[in-house]
Amino acid sequence: MKRKITYVVVILAGLQLFAGCKKYLEISPQERVLLDNYYKTPADAFAALVSIYDRFGAQAGGLYDKVAIMSAASDDQVAGGGGPSDINDLQVVNTFTLNPTTGPQGYLWNKGYAGIFRANVFLSKIGGITMDATLKARYTGEAKALRAIFYFDLVRFFKNIPLLTSEVDPKQIYEVTQVAPADVYALIEKDLTEAIPALPNTITGASEGGRLTKGAAQAMLGKVYLQQAKYAQAAEQFAIVNGSTPGQANATYGYKLLTNFGDLFKVNNKFNTESILEIVHSNASNGGWGDAGASEGNLLNIIVGPRGYKPVLASAPDYYSGYSFLVFTKEFFDFIHFDPRNKATVANLDSLEKNGIATYEKGYQNSGYFLEKTIGRVADKAPTGQTELNFPQDSYEIRLADTYMLEAEAILQSGGAVGAGSRAYQLFNAVRARVGLNPVAVTMDNIMRERRAELAGEGHRFLDLVRWGKAATVLAYKGFTANKNEIFPIPQAELNNTKIQQNKEYGGTK
């Protein structure tokens, strides 16, 4: 989906809600489309909806996104790069030395609230547009589901946040206050529950890939319930997504595990049967260094590539030389080395070099083990624009193996049957069977190991560790402080001259 909307001034600006988030545009008065003159036609509604999706896929101008942040915070990867201050926002997450003025929290906050702002404006205006009722309901459902997704990230990352469900009068911007996390979760659940009936069961990837479906919203609702330890409700939602027979195609939605694990990460395999919700990227956006974050390309593809990569033999992988961020640790490599998913997960550059196949420069914190899933390839170079910023690989927000394992976890935690032959057993071991592994018992230890191997480098590990209460132990070697680093500090710019209070974990009173 093309995410840029260039003619809706108030939406394009992504008007941030608080003092530190203002953005300014150089716009000719003749080119302005005022909000009062907008939202007149179905085409206006669609364009505004796309602008909300724009924030869902937004990346930082500093060449990172949510997945990169979560990866740097995990025990499996380190920030890496060219030195200890290279993409400093990732470095301070990696060492848990971030503070209200330093770190990636401004990007996370702005991305979320810009998306919420756009969704709130959209929901307040679409009622006045004359259009097909079914289409209007679908658009409304998408906007509510997106708002829920933004809030789900914000409440997990910052805990105490403002809850805004309508446009904020500019005079009241500095008067906004925070609410209890339970209130945010209540809205998230309400938005998703109301959105689901109006969303389609399936979409056509070629024309609508990246848009929300019933299954995507139900999977997200399952994650929301699981986060709150509402295990039975989570299992119920995941069961709808996963289908009646684990390992077989969902008869309603068509979801099915891919036969070959490595096929998940082929650039041309977008919107496959395992994809529930993905962020769309393109190599045709012509993005450049003037605003790298506005590129439609996947910035992970360039930052995780090996620095100074040079093939020696014709058989060498066609990696595009990158910036050597988010390398795997030796401990993770040892963990996955003999797992069938190793080859599709880890690019072993040291092995390539030792065998005379390729050479590379050793970056900061180099281990020799790179993220194979996401390295940019020469074959996928952009036809125009800045090559580094325009790789087209999509990113999975949710895929079926994830929901299979989450349903098994929810069943286990709710006291349901998990023995051989049970639904939980079948779900969990379908993920293992896909890569040729024998069945094992459904235990939390096994679930933790399986999620680590299956979803490595996809942005889940840190959030899983926090949810399981394991972060303080597993991440101690990185400097993680219990009862603090489970969340991020609220950006200082959001506190200046406002009623928003810093979380007590970072010296505040909230």
Side-chain angles (χ1 to χ4, degrees):
M1 167 177 288
K2 194 69 174 174
R3 297 199 307 264
K4 291 188 176 66
I5 301 299
T6 57
Y7 50 91
V8 188
V9 172
V10 71
I11 294 174
L12 175 63
L15 297 178
Q16 307 302 316
L17 301 174
F18 309 113
C21 302
K22 295 179 180 176
K23 294 186 182 295
Y24 301 92
L25 297 176
E26 295 293 333
I27 301 171
S28 167
Q30 289 83 2
E31 296 173 349
R32 290 178 179 170
V33 180
L34 299 178
L35 188 60
D36 289 343
N37 298 327
Y38 201 66
Y39 290 97
K40 301 296 185 184
T41 69
D44 293 343
F46 181 71
L49 178 64
V50 173
S51 80
I52 309 173
Y53 277 102
D54 173 73
R55 299 311 301 167
F56 174 57
Q59 301 171 98
L63 303 184
Y64 60 81
D65 65 357
K66 182 177 74 172
V67 172
I69 297 167
M70 296 300 99
S71 296
S74 80
D75 56 320
D76 293 341
Q77 294 165 270
V78 293
S85 61
D86 197 2
I87 308 188
N88 194 55
D89 286 351
L90 296 184
Q91 304 294 341
V92 296
V93 168
N94 180 60
T95 55
F96 293 101
T97 55
L98 68 171
N99 59 58
T101 60
T102 305
Q105 57 271 12
Y107 155 75
L108 294 170
W109 184 279
N110 294 349
K111 173 186 175 180
Y113 276 110
I116 289 164
F117 171 84
R118 296 181 186 191
N120 287 343
V121 172
F122 178 91
L123 292 168
S124 72
K125 301 295 184 183
I126 191 171
I129 298 178
T130 300
M131 60 186 293
D132 176 79
T134 301
L135 190 60
K136 180 183 286 191
R138 179 186 178 183
Y139 286 5
T140 300
E142 288 178 88
K144 286 185 175 181
L146 286 165
R147 182 170 68 178
I149 292 170
F150 292 131
Y151 269 126
F152 186 41
D153 275 348
L154 286 166
V155 74
R156 286 187 295 173
F157 295 148
F158 300 105
K159 187 173 71 173
N160 297 299
I161 61 173
L163 182 63
L164 308 173
T165 58
S166 61
E167 298 175 68
V168 179
D169 187 316
K171 296 178 183 178
Q172 301 300 316
I173 286 177
Y174 300 98
E175 305 300 315
V176 171
T177 58
Q178 293 140 295
V179 301
D183 294 338
V184 180
Y185 278 109
L187 177 73
I188 294 169
E189 292 177 15
K190 180 175 182 291
D191 270 353
L192 289 170
T193 301
E194 292 178 353
I196 288 166
L199 297 174
N201 288 346
T202 61
I203 56 175
T204 302
S207 58
E208 296 188 314
R211 294 181 69 176
L212 283 151
T213 60
K214 276 187 172 67
Q218 287 163 330
M220 189 60 66
L221 183 56
K223 289 195 171 203
V224 171
Y225 285 141
L226 192 68
Q227 186 72 23
Q228 300 171 85
K230 297 179 178 180
Y231 299 119
Q233 290 164 279
E236 181 181 6
Q237 293 300 315
F238 290 133
I240 299 171
V241 176
N242 295 333
S244 59
T245 307
Q248 301 299 312
N250 181 319
T252 302
Y253 300 152
Y255 301 136
K256 188 177 187 300
L257 295 176
L258 294 186
T259 302
N260 186 340
F261 176 77
D263 288 348
L264 282 161
F265 311 104
K266 292 182 178 178
V267 170
N268 294 326
N269 202 17
K270 298 172 184 272
F271 318 122
N272 56 68
T273 60
E274 191 165 334
S275 175
I276 296 174
L277 182 61
E278 62 188 76
I279 295 172
V280 183
H281 293 289
S282 168
N283 64 358
S285 71
N286 206 28
W289 285 109
D291 187 357
S295 170
E296 301 294 328
N298 188 337
L299 299 181
L300 275 176
N301 286 173
I302 187 62
I303 70 168
V304 305
R307 187 175 295 262
Y309 177 75
K310 294 180 181 179
V312 175
L313 301 181
S315 59
D318 69 332
Y319 300 139
Y320 191 90
S321 183
Y323 306 149
S324 67
F325 282 91
L326 305 176
V327 291
F328 286 118
T329 64
K330 177 65 163 56
E331 191 273 335
F332 174 77
F333 177 73
D334 291 342
F335 163 78
I336 202 171
H337 191 191
F338 297 106
D339 187 285
R341 288 162 288 205
N342 174 48
K343 186 176 180 181
T345 301
V346 180
N348 190 336
L349 269 293
D350 274 359
S351 177
L352 292 178
E353 190 166 71
K354 288 175 182 176
N355 287 284
I357 298 171
T359 63
Y360 75 106
E361 297 174 14
K362 312 306 181 290
Y364 178 59
Q365 298 179 309
N366 178 63
S367 65
Y369 309 120
F370 291 75
L371 182 55
E372 172 75 18
K373 290 179 178 179
T374 319
I375 295 175
R377 304 285 182 146
V378 173
D380 301 319
K381 287 193 337 182
T384 60
Q386 196 73 36
T387 299
E388 299 94 319
L389 306 179
N390 290 280
F391 284 97
Q393 184 181 20
D394 287 0
S395 297
Y396 295 108
E397 182 76 9
I398 311 174
R399 60 181 176 88
L400 193 62
D402 180 18
T403 59
Y404 268 28
M405 291 186 286
L406 290 177
E407 185 183 346
E409 179 182 342
I411 293 171
L412 173 66
Q413 296 283 37
S414 64
V418 297
S422 68
R423 179 175 173 85
Y425 186 88
Q426 292 177 59
L427 285 162
F428 182 63
N429 285 297
V431 176
R432 291 175 56 82
R434 186 254 296 275
V435 295
L437 292 172
N438 292 326
V440 296
V442 180
T443 66
M444 278 308 303
D445 283 346
N446 283 341
I447 287 171
M448 291 177 190
R449 282 192 288 269
E450 200 65 31
R451 286 186 65 79
R452 186 184 188 189
E454 174 74 22
L455 302 171
E458 296 180 50
H460 297 275
R461 178 68 173 171
F462 174 75
L463 292 170
D464 278 347
L465 290 172
V466 171
R467 178 166 57 82
W468 294 327
K470 300 288 186 180
T473 301
V474 174
L475 295 170
Y477 85 96
K478 280 192 166 188
F480 185 100
T481 299
N483 302 314
K484 175 182 180 180
N485 294 130
E486 290 86 354
I487 60 173
F488 289 81
I490 294 172
Q492 184 63 44
E494 306 305 326
L495 309 176
N496 298 334
N497 302 314
T498 75
K499 291 186 176 180
I500 298 176
Q501 301 172 47
Q502 183 60 265
N503 290 314
K504 63 182 180 181
E505 290 86 346
Y506 290 90
T509 58
K510 196 66 176 175

